[in-house]
Amino acid sequence: MTRPRINDGIQQPTRTADRIDVTIPSWGDSGGDHANYAAFGSTGSTDRTELRRNGALLAAGSSGLTSTVPATRSAYRLTHTATRDATAEFPYSTATRTEWAFTSALPSTPDRPEQLPLVQLDYTLPTDEDGRAARDATLLVTPLHLTGGPRAALRTRKVELSYDDGATWTTAGLGSRGGGRVATVLNAPASARYVTLRVHAGDSRGNTVTQTVVRAAGIAR
């Protein structure tokens, strides 16, 4: 399940003094082992990253950005969107949107980089070798902090599923698996060819993430 995923192997999202630096690999796999900037098997792809404070656009870039920000504690919204051309070999994850909300202020040691509290999302969904899940497959969603992130309880608030590329949505019933993890059964209709998902999660300090993955996986016929 390919989507944006920051892991420990790349530059971490940080604030140093009055500067925020963020780099986001658009095409990580369903866990956290691989962080890819190139769309697998696609000849065409796009990505865009935007940072806003109180609704006002501060900076924009492709896979990342740098922005000067005020010293006072403020609410920020970081949005990353990506698209890729579907291919016969890999028709999945044709579009994603990930939106992080967090607060930030001048670090206590200004010249030392302070990690931004961007909650990540991992997914487990059994599929066949062609990337297709059974109609009654169980999806496991795991929210997590980056290494060195805040000691704050994590929670998956809502999982939405779509079988028409996001035209209509159904709120999934969730079963807790502890530590903020949840599981849900797809219950895909007979006509479904793909599952699209939208996940809302966050932590007890108010940091949140909403991630949408169009055609996250296929549905076996």
Side-chain angles (χ1 to χ4, degrees), residues 148-168:
R151 296 182 178 180
L154 290 155
R155 179 189 175 208
T156 303
R157 295 184 291 108
K158 184 164 66 171
V159 175
E160 298 173 275
L161 302 175
S162 173
Y163 298 100
D164 53 13
D165 295 348
T168 59

Side-chain angles (χ1 to χ4, degrees), residues 37-205:
Y37 294 93
F40 173 77
S42 289
T43 56
S45 63
T46 67
D47 53 9
R48 180 172 173 83
T49 307
E50 297 181 347
L51 179 68
R52 285 180 164 81
R53 172 181 176 265
N54 299 331
L57 181 66
L58 297 180
S62 54
S63 60
L65 55 80
T66 296
S67 178
T68 300
V69 294
T72 55
R73 179 168 297 278
S74 301
Y76 294 91
R77 192 166 298 274
L78 178 69
T79 304
H80 181 79
T81 56
T83 66
R84 57 175 298 280
D85 294 338
T87 64
E89 295 78 13
F90 194 79
Y92 308 122
S93 297
T94 53
T96 69
R97 178 182 176 87
T98 308
E99 187 173 286
W100 290 278
F102 62 96
T103 59
S104 179
L106 183 72
S108 55
T109 306
D111 59 350
R112 180 181 299 172
E114 182 179 275
Q115 187 185 95
L116 298 178
L118 304 185
V119 177
Q120 305 297 299
L121 291 168
D122 286 349
Y123 306 95
T124 302
L125 180 67
T127 64
D128 62 20
E129 62 182 12
D130 293 320
R132 297 173 302 186
R135 297 185 184 282
D136 60 351
T138 296
L139 169 67
L140 178 67
V141 178
T142 303
L144 67 159
H145 291 119
L146 296 169
T147 301
R151 296 182 178 180
L154 290 155
R155 179 189 175 208
T156 303
R157 295 184 291 108
K158 184 164 66 171
V159 175
E160 298 173 275
L161 302 175
S162 173
Y163 298 100
D164 53 13
D165 295 348
T168 59
W169 295 91
T170 299
T171 300
L174 303 179
S176 175
R177 296 295 176 89
R181 299 184 305 157
V182 297
T184 188
V185 176
L186 297 187
N187 291 321
S191 60
R193 294 184 60 203
Y194 303 97
V195 57
T196 292
L197 61 86
R198 184 163 60 203
V199 175
H200 309 258
D203 66 21
S204 56
R205 294 191 181 181

